[in-house]
Amino acid sequence: MVNAVTGENKTLVHLGLRCLIVDTIGVTINTSANGIMLSQNAKEKVRMKKLFIIGMLLLPSLVLANEKLEYELKVLGSEYGYASLYFDGSRAYGEIKANKKWSSVYNISNRIATVVNEGGYPTHTEFTYKFNKSQGHYKIDFENDKISVSKHTKGTTRKRFYKPKVDIHDMISWLAQVRIAVRENPDVPIVFKVFNGAKTYSVNCQPQKIEKLQTPIGEKTTKPYRITVTRSGDSTYKREMRVWFNTTSNFEPLRLVGRFKVGYAEAIITSLKSNDKEEE
C-alpha cells in the first residue's frame, strides 16, 4: 500500500516499510525491511512483463547523488504521461503515470524504490503497480545466494525464492552500468541479466556512433546504444529499443524509443536537476 503526503517542495511517500522524502533534486530513503517472495498465475506473469518494459521507460541510474530527471512519455505519437526519477547515491525512487486521456485505455501508475551495494547491484527493491484494474505491491531482497520476493495483492501475500547463477540487476539498477560505460568504455558492448520479480532477462547493449540530439532542454551530443532484451527459456520473446545518453557532465539518459506490445513508445527528457546544474 502506498501513502503520500505532499508539501510545497517535497513529497513523503511510504512504500511498505520504506519511507522516501522526495525534494526538488533528491530522495532520502530510510529502510528497514527483509524480503520474501511469491508464486504467480498466468495473468500475473503478463503484468510482470509489462512492469519490466515500464522499468525500461523509467531510465534511472544510480551514478550521482542528489539528481532529479523528468521525462515526457509518448505512445503511438500521442502524449501518454510522465516519469520522474530521484537519486541519492546508492538509493533511488521513480514514478511513472499515465495522463487522463490514456488512463481510461491503458492506465499505469507505478512507483519503485531501490538500494544498491558498492558494486552497483541491488540489495532491496520495492515497487507498487497499478495497471488498469490490477494493482499490487512487491518486495524483492537480493541476498548472497538467493532472491526473495513477496507480493501483496487483494489482502494476500505470496512468497517465492529464486537462485540466480550470476549477479543480477533489477529494473532500475542496470542502467547505472550502461551510464558508467558511456563515461569509461563508450565503444564496448555490454551484456548482463535483469530480474523483474518473476522472470530473468538478458540485456545486450551495442554502442552506436555519436549523434546530436534535439531535446526540450536544448541540443545535446549523445552516445546511443541499441538494446536487445530476450527472456530466459522463451525463444520467442524479443524487445528492441534505442537509448541516447549525454556524453558530458553526468552522462544522463536523455531519450528512449522502442516498439512494445502497446505500440511505438518514446521517453524524452524535459528537466534535469543536480547538485551542479539545472536544465529545463
Side-chain angles (χ1 to χ4, degrees), residues 237-255:
Y237 183 92
K238 185 177 182 180
R239 299 289 184 269
E240 294 181 319
M241 63 200 75
R242 204 165 181 232
V243 182
W244 287 255
F245 290 85
N246 203 354
T247 57
T248 59
S249 187
N250 298 315
F251 306 92
E252 303 89 356
L254 300 176
R255 185 184 183 219

Side-chain angles (χ1 to χ4, degrees), residues 31-178:
T31 178
S32 175
N34 291 317
I36 339 160
M37 173 132 195
L38 64 154
S39 60
Q40 296 174 309
N41 59 31
K43 289 183 179 180
E44 289 165 346
K45 292 178 181 178
V46 170
R47 289 197 291 269
M48 291 306 298
K49 292 185 220 173
K50 294 170 181 173
L51 282 169
F52 177 67
I53 298 304
I54 290 163
M56 299 292 193
L57 291 174
L58 281 177
L59 295 174
S61 63
L62 308 179
V63 175
L64 182 73
N66 293 320
E67 180 182 58
K68 178 182 178 180
L69 308 176
E70 295 180 340
Y71 299 87
E72 177 187 45
L73 306 179
K74 292 184 178 181
V75 174
L76 300 174
S78 173
E79 292 184 4
Y80 176 79
Y82 71 90
S84 298
L85 309 167
Y86 310 86
F87 310 102
D88 185 10
S90 63
R91 299 163 294 181
Y93 166 76
E95 180 179 13
I96 184 170
K97 187 174 179 62
N99 60 27
K100 185 176 180 180
K101 175 183 176 181
W102 274 90
S103 61
S104 61
V105 180
Y106 200 82
N107 186 33
I108 290 173
S109 180
N110 296 335
R111 295 181 178 91
I112 184 167
T114 192
V115 179
V116 301
N117 59 26
E118 292 182 355
Y121 287 93
T123 59
H124 185 80
T125 302
E126 292 191 28
F127 59 89
T128 61
Y129 73 88
K130 182 178 181 181
F131 175 69
N132 291 338
K133 295 182 179 180
S134 301
Q135 56 185 331
H137 176 74
Y138 281 81
K139 287 193 275 189
I140 308 173
D141 280 291
F142 296 81
E143 304 171 42
N144 290 334
D145 59 348
K146 67 181 179 181
I147 300 174
S148 306
V149 181
S150 68
K151 178 187 177 182
H152 184 80
T153 182
K154 297 180 180 179
T156 302
T157 298
R158 287 177 289 179
K159 307 173 183 179
R160 192 172 173 182
F161 300 87
Y162 297 85
K163 288 187 174 292
K165 296 180 180 179
V166 297
D167 289 336
I168 197 164
H169 285 292
D170 67 10
M171 294 179 290
I172 289 182
S173 63
W174 69 274
L175 265 159
Q177 182 174 344
V178 183

